[in-house]
Amino acid sequence: MKKLVFVIILIAMIGMGVMPTAAIEPDAVTALATYYPKDTVVFTSIRTDDEALSRLESILVTLGAVLPDEILDISPDFAIGELEIAPDATFEMVIRPWLGDSIAFGVTEPAASLMTLEPNEIPAFLVAAEITDREFAEGFVTQFLREAV
C-alpha cells in the first residue's frame, strides 16, 4: 500500500509540474535538477506559490474523494497551509517562512531494480527545496529529524 500512495503522490506532482510550466522560464523549474544524479529515473518540480499549492490541494482532495481511506485519507476541506507538521505547528508557521519558489522530487533508484521491489517497498528518492532562510530551514529539519527518530 505504501508503494501505491507513493505512486499517487508522484503522479499528482508530475501533473502539477506539467500544468503551470508553460508560462515559466525552464531554468526556474529545473534549477533543483542539479542536486540529482544523472541517472535519476523520474524528476519533477513544482512551484510553491499560493496558486500552485492550491492546485495541488485540489488534486489531492479529488484523489482523496475517489480512493479508499486506507490509500489516501484526505478530507474535502484539506489545506496545505493548515497541514499539521507537529503539535500546534502548521505548514504556514514552520515551512512557508523558509520555503523558496520550487520543490522537486526524484526517484533515484536504478531503473533495473525498480522491477524487483516488494509490493510495500518504496524506491530510493530525493526531495529538494529552494530555501529563503537557511537558519530557519536547518532548525526545522533538525527538529523534525530529532522527533522522527
Side-chain angles (χ1 to χ4, degrees):
M1 181 159 55
K2 287 181 183 178
K3 191 186 284 187
L4 181 58
V5 171
F6 177 78
V7 169
I8 290 168
I9 292 171
L10 179 62
I11 289 169
M13 284 189 71
I14 289 171
M16 282 297 302
V18 171
M19 289 176 9
T21 57
I24 301 174
E25 288 291 322
D27 290 344
V29 180
T30 60
L32 294 172
T34 60
Y35 298 103
Y36 290 79
K38 290 182 181 184
D39 60 348
T40 297
V41 178
V42 174
F43 173 82
T44 186
S45 176
I46 62 169
R47 299 183 341 250
T48 56
D49 59 78
D50 291 338
E51 179 186 349
L53 293 179
S54 177
R55 286 182 179 169
L56 181 58
E57 288 171 0
S58 177
I59 290 170
L60 292 173
V61 167
T62 300
L63 288 173
V66 297
L67 293 172
D69 287 349
E70 60 270 7
I71 295 175
L72 190 63
D73 186 13
I74 293 187
S75 69
D77 59 346
F78 171 77
I80 289 175
E82 297 302 314
L83 189 62
E84 192 170 305
I85 306 301
D88 300 321
T90 65
F91 173 88
E92 285 295 328
M93 293 167 49
V94 298
I95 296 178
R96 177 59 91 187
W98 55 263
L99 186 62
D101 294 332
S102 66
I103 189 166
F105 175 86
V107 176
T108 57
E109 185 88 23
S113 65
L114 288 174
M115 303 308 278
T116 61
L117 291 176
E118 295 296 321
N120 283 334
E121 194 175 359
I122 297 175
F125 65 94
L126 176 66
V127 177
E130 289 183 355
I131 60 173
T132 58
D133 185 333
R134 182 182 182 120
E135 187 176 328
F136 203 138
E138 285 177 350
F140 167 76
V141 170
T142 301
Q143 182 66 28
F144 184 79
L145 291 175
R146 187 176 300 131
E147 292 174 7
V149 175

